[in-house]
Amino acid sequence: MIKQDFISKYIQELAKTLAKILSLELGNADDGFLIIFNQMLQSYYKIDDNHLEILLEENQERDQFLLSDELKKKNLLTFMKAIRVYLNQGNTEKAKASYLVLKRIESINTGIFQFPTEEDALIANERKIIEEKMNTI
């Protein structure tokens, strides 16, 4: 029970961090985004953006945050934003690794029906942009 409470608190903190990351404007705050993105990766996944492929491996400790139902949409948007930032900076390797992580997050079916939200529309729109950009590299 104590471990579950701890995990719930950690998920709440990660949600706040993801909201902060997503609030940064693309283009003007790319460096700030990468700083916070790396801090998030180090705090919650014990990696940096040079090792994003580690998030493709199954690991219960990391997956409880990466694949959490509560965080799925924010994680999707965060990794989509990371892809765009890496592409803007010409870092195709990190963009590709982020894209594979994005695909992994998307592949997990929550099994929970939810009515479409504004966030879902934003994800769909971002998804189109990401697919177009990834097809050009």
Side-chain angles (χ1 to χ4, degrees):
M1 187 66 153
I2 292 174
K3 185 176 181 179
Q4 191 60 34
D5 290 341
F6 178 74
I7 291 169
S8 294
K9 191 69 164 164
Y10 230 59
I11 287 174
Q12 289 173 354
E13 290 302 314
L14 179 54
K16 290 178 191 174
T17 302
L18 293 173
K20 183 177 179 181
I21 288 172
L22 293 172
S23 71
L24 296 172
E25 201 171 309
L26 197 62
N28 296 337
D30 287 355
D31 291 335
F33 168 83
L34 289 177
I35 289 168
I36 298 171
F37 183 66
N38 263 303
Q39 288 172 345
M40 182 265 306
L41 290 172
Q42 290 168 358
S43 295
Y44 295 96
Y45 304 112
K46 310 294 185 246
I47 64 167
D48 63 28
D49 66 352
N50 293 312
H51 300 95
L52 288 167
E53 67 282 348
I54 290 173
L55 295 177
L56 300 174
E57 302 167 4
E58 284 188 34
N59 177 291
Q60 186 177 2
E61 189 175 326
R62 285 190 303 263
D63 288 352
Q64 66 190 347
F65 304 116
L66 185 67
L67 306 176
S68 163
D69 289 344
E70 292 175 56
L71 299 173
K72 183 172 185 171
K73 292 177 185 179
K74 285 188 177 16
N75 277 329
L76 288 172
L77 287 168
T78 299
F79 279 93
M80 286 179 186
K81 192 168 197 172
I83 293 165
R84 291 185 65 185
V85 169
Y86 290 133
L87 289 174
N88 287 347
Q89 294 186 343
N91 194 333
T92 57
E93 289 307 310
K94 288 182 182 178
K96 288 176 184 176
S98 295
Y99 182 73
L100 292 174
V101 173
L102 173 72
K103 296 290 250 178
R104 179 165 186 242
I105 296 168
E106 286 178 329
S107 73
I108 302 302
N109 184 358
T110 62
I112 300 171
F113 175 77
Q114 295 178 341
F115 286 101
T117 64
E118 213 173 287
E119 199 172 29
D120 292 317
L122 180 59
I123 289 169
N125 188 43
E126 278 295 308
R127 191 74 172 99
K128 287 179 190 174
I129 294 168
I130 295 300
E131 286 301 325
E132 288 172 9
K133 290 182 177 279
M134 291 304 292
N135 286 332
T136 64
I137 61 170

Short mmCIF file of all heavy atoms in Angstrom, two decimals, residues 23-63:
data_model
loop_
_atom_site.label_atom_id
_atom_site.label_comp_id
_atom_site.label_asym_id
_atom_site.label_seq_id
_atom_site.Cartn_x
_atom_site.Cartn_y
_atom_site.Cartn_z
N SER A 23 4.21 23.27 -21.95
CA SER A 23 3.87 24.69 -22.00
C SER A 23 4.92 25.52 -22.74
O SER A 23 4.65 26.66 -23.14
CB SER A 23 3.68 25.25 -20.58
OG SER A 23 4.93 25.33 -19.91
N LEU A 24 6.11 24.96 -22.95
CA LEU A 24 7.16 25.69 -23.66
C LEU A 24 6.83 25.75 -25.14
O LEU A 24 6.44 24.76 -25.74
CB LEU A 24 8.51 25.01 -23.45
CG LEU A 24 9.01 24.99 -22.01
CD1 LEU A 24 10.27 24.13 -21.91
CD2 LEU A 24 9.30 26.39 -21.52
N GLU A 25 7.01 26.91 -25.70
CA GLU A 25 6.68 27.13 -27.11
C GLU A 25 7.75 26.55 -28.02
O GLU A 25 8.95 26.74 -27.79
CB GLU A 25 6.55 28.64 -27.36
CG GLU A 25 5.75 28.98 -28.58
CD GLU A 25 5.47 30.47 -28.66
OE1 GLU A 25 5.00 31.03 -27.66
OE2 GLU A 25 5.74 31.03 -29.71
N LEU A 26 7.32 25.85 -29.04
CA LEU A 26 8.24 25.23 -29.98
C LEU A 26 8.98 26.31 -30.75
O LEU A 26 8.39 27.29 -31.18
CB LEU A 26 7.45 24.33 -30.96
CG LEU A 26 8.24 23.31 -31.74
CD1 LEU A 26 8.89 22.31 -30.79
CD2 LEU A 26 7.33 22.57 -32.70
N GLY A 27 10.28 26.13 -30.93
CA GLY A 27 11.08 27.09 -31.68
C GLY A 27 11.79 28.07 -30.77
O GLY A 27 13.01 28.13 -30.76
N ASN A 28 11.02 28.83 -30.00
CA ASN A 28 11.62 29.85 -29.15
C ASN A 28 12.28 29.28 -27.90
O ASN A 28 13.18 29.88 -27.35
CB ASN A 28 10.56 30.87 -28.70
CG ASN A 28 9.99 31.64 -29.87
OD1 ASN A 28 10.61 31.74 -30.92
ND2 ASN A 28 8.80 32.17 -29.70
N ALA A 29 11.81 28.14 -27.44
CA ALA A 29 12.29 27.59 -26.18
C ALA A 29 12.85 26.17 -26.34
O ALA A 29 12.79 25.38 -25.41
CB ALA A 29 11.16 27.61 -25.16
N ASP A 30 13.40 25.87 -27.52
CA ASP A 30 13.91 24.51 -27.76
C ASP A 30 14.98 24.09 -26.76
O ASP A 30 14.97 22.97 -26.25
CB ASP A 30 14.44 24.37 -29.18
CG ASP A 30 13.33 24.34 -30.22
OD1 ASP A 30 12.15 24.34 -29.83
OD2 ASP A 30 13.66 24.30 -31.42
N ASP A 31 15.92 25.00 -26.46
CA ASP A 31 16.98 24.66 -25.51
C ASP A 31 16.39 24.44 -24.12
O ASP A 31 16.79 23.51 -23.42
CB ASP A 31 18.05 25.74 -25.48
CG ASP A 31 18.87 25.78 -26.77
OD1 ASP A 31 18.96 24.74 -27.45
OD2 ASP A 31 19.42 26.85 -27.09
N GLY A 32 15.46 25.29 -23.72
CA GLY A 32 14.80 25.12 -22.43
C GLY A 32 14.03 23.82 -22.37
O GLY A 32 14.04 23.13 -21.35
N PHE A 33 13.37 23.48 -23.48
CA PHE A 33 12.65 22.21 -23.55
C PHE A 33 13.60 21.05 -23.32
O PHE A 33 13.32 20.15 -22.53
CB PHE A 33 11.95 22.05 -24.91
CG PHE A 33 11.43 20.66 -25.14
CD1 PHE A 33 10.21 20.28 -24.62
CD2 PHE A 33 12.18 19.72 -25.84
CE1 PHE A 33 9.74 18.98 -24.81
CE2 PHE A 33 11.73 18.43 -26.02
CZ PHE A 33 10.49 18.06 -25.51
N LEU A 34 14.73 21.06 -24.02
CA LEU A 34 15.67 19.94 -23.91
C LEU A 34 16.26 19.83 -22.50
O LEU A 34 16.48 18.72 -22.02
CB LEU A 34 16.78 20.06 -24.95
CG LEU A 34 16.34 19.82 -26.39
CD1 LEU A 34 17.49 20.04 -27.35
CD2 LEU A 34 15.75 18.43 -26.56
N ILE A 35 16.47 20.96 -21.85
CA ILE A 35 16.98 20.92 -20.47
C ILE A 35 15.96 20.24 -19.56
O ILE A 35 16.30 19.31 -18.81
CB ILE A 35 17.31 22.35 -19.97
CG1 ILE A 35 18.55 22.88 -20.69
CG2 ILE A 35 17.52 22.36 -18.45
CD1 ILE A 35 18.80 24.37 -20.49
N ILE A 36 14.72 20.68 -19.63
CA ILE A 36 13.68 20.10 -18.77
C ILE A 36 13.39 18.66 -19.18
O ILE A 36 13.17 17.79 -18.33
CB ILE A 36 12.40 20.97 -18.79
CG1 ILE A 36 12.72 22.36 -18.23
CG2 ILE A 36 11.29 20.32 -17.97
CD1 ILE A 36 11.60 23.37 -18.41
N PHE A 37 13.38 18.37 -20.48
CA PHE A 37 13.15 17.02 -20.98
C PHE A 37 14.22 16.07 -20.42
O PHE A 37 13.91 14.99 -19.92
CB PHE A 37 13.16 17.03 -22.51
CG PHE A 37 12.87 15.71 -23.16
CD1 PHE A 37 11.62 15.11 -23.03
CD2 PHE A 37 13.84 15.07 -23.92
CE1 PHE A 37 11.34 13.89 -23.65
CE2 PHE A 37 13.57 13.85 -24.54
CZ PHE A 37 12.31 13.26 -24.40
N ASN A 38 15.48 16.49 -20.46
CA ASN A 38 16.56 15.67 -19.93
C ASN A 38 16.46 15.51 -18.41
O ASN A 38 16.73 14.42 -17.89
CB ASN A 38 17.93 16.22 -20.32
CG ASN A 38 18.48 15.53 -21.53
OD1 ASN A 38 18.63 14.33 -21.55
ND2 ASN A 38 18.76 16.31 -22.56
N GLN A 39 16.06 16.57 -17.72
CA GLN A 39 15.86 16.45 -16.27
C GLN A 39 14.77 15.43 -15.97
O GLN A 39 14.90 14.62 -15.05
CB GLN A 39 15.48 17.81 -15.67
CG GLN A 39 16.62 18.78 -15.62
CD GLN A 39 16.17 20.18 -15.19
OE1 GLN A 39 14.98 20.50 -15.18
NE2 GLN A 39 17.12 21.01 -14.83
N MET A 40 13.69 15.47 -16.76
CA MET A 40 12.61 14.51 -16.58
C MET A 40 13.10 13.09 -16.85
O MET A 40 12.83 12.16 -16.09
CB MET A 40 11.44 14.87 -17.52
CG MET A 40 10.23 13.97 -17.40
SD MET A 40 10.11 12.58 -18.56
CE MET A 40 10.29 13.31 -20.16
N LEU A 41 13.86 12.90 -17.93
CA LEU A 41 14.39 11.58 -18.27
C LEU A 41 15.29 11.05 -17.15
O LEU A 41 15.21 9.88 -16.78
CB LEU A 41 15.17 11.63 -19.58
CG LEU A 41 14.37 11.84 -20.86
CD1 LEU A 41 15.30 12.06 -22.05
CD2 LEU A 41 13.41 10.69 -21.12
N GLN A 42 16.12 11.93 -16.60
CA GLN A 42 17.02 11.51 -15.53
C GLN A 42 16.27 11.20 -14.25
O GLN A 42 16.56 10.21 -13.57
CB GLN A 42 18.09 12.59 -15.29
CG GLN A 42 19.07 12.68 -16.43
CD GLN A 42 19.96 13.91 -16.37
OE1 GLN A 42 19.82 14.75 -15.48
NE2 GLN A 42 20.87 14.03 -17.33
N SER A 43 15.29 12.03 -13.90
CA SER A 43 14.56 11.85 -12.64
C SER A 43 13.68 10.61 -12.64
O SER A 43 13.62 9.89 -11.65
CB SER A 43 13.69 13.07 -12.36
OG SER A 43 14.47 14.20 -12.15
N TYR A 44 12.97 10.38 -13.74
CA TYR A 44 11.96 9.33 -13.75
C TYR A 44 12.39 8.04 -14.45
O TYR A 44 11.87 6.97 -14.15
CB TYR A 44 10.66 9.85 -14.36
CG TYR A 44 10.06 10.94 -13.52
CD1 TYR A 44 10.30 12.28 -13.81
CD2 TYR A 44 9.31 10.64 -12.39
CE1 TYR A 44 9.79 13.28 -13.01
CE2 TYR A 44 8.79 11.64 -11.59
CZ TYR A 44 9.04 12.97 -11.90
OH TYR A 44 8.55 13.96 -11.10
N TYR A 45 13.33 8.16 -15.38
CA TYR A 45 13.73 6.98 -16.15
C TYR A 45 15.20 6.61 -15.97
O TYR A 45 15.66 5.63 -16.52
CB TYR A 45 13.41 7.19 -17.63
CG TYR A 45 11.95 7.52 -17.86
CD1 TYR A 45 11.57 8.78 -18.31
CD2 TYR A 45 10.96 6.59 -17.60
CE1 TYR A 45 10.23 9.09 -18.50
CE2 TYR A 45 9.62 6.90 -17.78
CZ TYR A 45 9.27 8.15 -18.23
OH TYR A 45 7.94 8.45 -18.40
N LYS A 46 15.94 7.46 -15.27
CA LYS A 46 17.37 7.23 -14.99
C LYS A 46 18.21 7.11 -16.26
O LYS A 46 19.14 6.30 -16.35
CB LYS A 46 17.56 5.98 -14.13
CG LYS A 46 16.69 5.90 -12.89
CD LYS A 46 17.01 6.97 -11.90
CE LYS A 46 16.22 6.81 -10.61
NZ LYS A 46 15.29 7.86 -10.35
N ILE A 47 17.86 7.93 -17.27
CA ILE A 47 18.62 7.97 -18.53
C ILE A 47 18.72 9.43 -18.96
O ILE A 47 18.12 10.31 -18.36
CB ILE A 47 17.95 7.16 -19.66
CG1 ILE A 47 16.58 7.75 -20.03
CG2 ILE A 47 17.83 5.69 -19.28
CD1 ILE A 47 15.99 7.22 -21.31
N ASP A 48 19.48 9.68 -20.04
CA ASP A 48 19.45 10.99 -20.69
C ASP A 48 19.06 10.78 -22.15
O ASP A 48 18.85 9.64 -22.58
CB ASP A 48 20.76 11.75 -20.53
CG ASP A 48 21.95 11.06 -21.18
OD1 ASP A 48 21.75 10.31 -22.16
OD2 ASP A 48 23.08 11.27 -20.72
N ASP A 49 18.97 11.86 -22.90
CA ASP A 49 18.47 11.72 -24.27
C ASP A 49 19.46 11.06 -25.22
O ASP A 49 19.14 10.82 -26.37
CB ASP A 49 17.96 13.06 -24.82
CG ASP A 49 19.04 14.10 -25.01
OD1 ASP A 49 20.20 13.88 -24.59
OD2 ASP A 49 18.72 15.16 -25.57
N ASN A 50 20.64 10.71 -24.74
CA ASN A 50 21.57 9.93 -25.55
C ASN A 50 21.26 8.44 -25.49
O ASN A 50 21.86 7.66 -26.22
CB ASN A 50 23.01 10.17 -25.09
CG ASN A 50 23.46 11.58 -25.37
OD1 ASN A 50 23.28 12.09 -26.46
ND2 ASN A 50 24.02 12.23 -24.35
N HIS A 51 20.33 8.06 -24.62
CA HIS A 51 20.00 6.65 -24.41
C HIS A 51 18.49 6.42 -24.46
O HIS A 51 17.96 5.59 -23.72
CB HIS A 51 20.57 6.17 -23.08
CG HIS A 51 22.05 6.29 -23.00
ND1 HIS A 51 22.69 7.37 -22.44
CD2 HIS A 51 23.03 5.48 -23.48
CE1 HIS A 51 23.99 7.21 -22.55
NE2 HIS A 51 24.23 6.08 -23.18
N LEU A 52 17.80 7.11 -25.33
CA LEU A 52 16.34 6.98 -25.43
C LEU A 52 15.91 5.56 -25.80
O LEU A 52 14.83 5.12 -25.42
CB LEU A 52 15.79 7.98 -26.46
CG LEU A 52 15.81 9.44 -26.02
CD1 LEU A 52 15.56 10.35 -27.21
CD2 LEU A 52 14.81 9.68 -24.93
N GLU A 53 16.77 4.84 -26.52
CA GLU A 53 16.41 3.48 -26.94
C GLU A 53 16.18 2.56 -25.74
O GLU A 53 15.49 1.54 -25.87
CB GLU A 53 17.47 2.91 -27.87
CG GLU A 53 18.82 2.64 -27.25
CD GLU A 53 19.70 3.87 -27.05
OE1 GLU A 53 19.39 4.95 -27.59
OE2 GLU A 53 20.73 3.75 -26.36
N ILE A 54 16.69 2.90 -24.57
CA ILE A 54 16.46 2.11 -23.37
C ILE A 54 14.97 2.07 -23.03
O ILE A 54 14.46 1.07 -22.51
CB ILE A 54 17.29 2.65 -22.18
CG1 ILE A 54 18.77 2.34 -22.44
CG2 ILE A 54 16.83 2.08 -20.85
CD1 ILE A 54 19.72 2.97 -21.44
N LEU A 55 14.25 3.12 -23.40
CA LEU A 55 12.81 3.17 -23.13
C LEU A 55 12.02 2.21 -24.01
O LEU A 55 10.83 2.01 -23.79
CB LEU A 55 12.27 4.60 -23.29
CG LEU A 55 12.82 5.61 -22.29
CD1 LEU A 55 12.27 7.00 -22.59
CD2 LEU A 55 12.53 5.19 -20.86
N LEU A 56 12.67 1.60 -24.98
CA LEU A 56 12.01 0.61 -25.83
C LEU A 56 12.01 -0.77 -25.16
O LEU A 56 11.22 -1.64 -25.54
CB LEU A 56 12.71 0.52 -27.19
CG LEU A 56 12.73 1.82 -27.99
CD1 LEU A 56 13.57 1.65 -29.25
CD2 LEU A 56 11.33 2.27 -28.32
N GLU A 57 12.86 -0.94 -24.17
CA GLU A 57 12.95 -2.21 -23.45
C GLU A 57 11.90 -2.26 -22.35
O GLU A 57 11.63 -1.25 -21.71
CB GLU A 57 14.33 -2.35 -22.81
CG GLU A 57 15.47 -2.28 -23.79
CD GLU A 57 16.83 -2.11 -23.12
OE1 GLU A 57 16.90 -2.13 -21.86
OE2 GLU A 57 17.81 -1.94 -23.86
N GLU A 58 11.33 -3.43 -22.16
CA GLU A 58 10.38 -3.58 -21.06
C GLU A 58 11.12 -3.50 -19.74
O GLU A 58 12.15 -4.14 -19.55
CB GLU A 58 9.65 -4.93 -21.16
CG GLU A 58 8.59 -4.95 -22.23
CD GLU A 58 7.76 -6.21 -22.18
OE1 GLU A 58 7.52 -6.74 -21.07
OE2 GLU A 58 7.34 -6.65 -23.26
N ASN A 59 10.59 -2.67 -18.85
CA ASN A 59 11.16 -2.51 -17.52
C ASN A 59 10.04 -1.99 -16.63
O ASN A 59 9.56 -0.87 -16.83
CB ASN A 59 12.33 -1.53 -17.56
CG ASN A 59 12.91 -1.26 -16.19
OD1 ASN A 59 12.29 -0.64 -15.35
ND2 ASN A 59 14.14 -1.73 -15.98
N GLN A 60 9.63 -2.80 -15.67
CA GLN A 60 8.47 -2.47 -14.86
C GLN A 60 8.60 -1.12 -14.17
O GLN A 60 7.65 -0.34 -14.14
CB GLN A 60 8.22 -3.56 -13.83
CG GLN A 60 6.94 -3.35 -13.04
CD GLN A 60 6.68 -4.49 -12.06
OE1 GLN A 60 7.46 -5.41 -11.95
NE2 GLN A 60 5.58 -4.39 -11.36
N GLU A 61 9.78 -0.82 -13.65
CA GLU A 61 9.97 0.44 -12.92
C GLU A 61 9.77 1.65 -13.84
O GLU A 61 9.09 2.60 -13.49
CB GLU A 61 11.37 0.46 -12.29
CG GLU A 61 11.57 1.63 -11.35
CD GLU A 61 12.92 1.56 -10.66
OE1 GLU A 61 13.40 0.44 -10.38
OE2 GLU A 61 13.49 2.64 -10.43
N ARG A 62 10.39 1.61 -15.02
CA ARG A 62 10.24 2.74 -15.96
C ARG A 62 8.86 2.74 -16.60
O ARG A 62 8.26 3.80 -16.79
CB ARG A 62 11.32 2.65 -17.05
CG ARG A 62 12.69 3.04 -16.60
CD ARG A 62 13.63 3.17 -17.80
NE ARG A 62 13.71 1.96 -18.59
CZ ARG A 62 14.67 1.06 -18.47
NH1 ARG A 62 15.62 1.20 -17.59
NH2 ARG A 62 14.67 -0.02 -19.24
N ASP A 63 8.36 1.56 -16.95
CA ASP A 63 7.08 1.47 -17.67
C ASP A 63 5.89 1.97 -16.86
O ASP A 63 4.91 2.43 -17.42
CB ASP A 63 6.82 0.04 -18.14
CG ASP A 63 7.74 -0.37 -19.29
OD1 ASP A 63 8.46 0.51 -19.82
OD2 ASP A 63 7.73 -1.56 -19.66
#
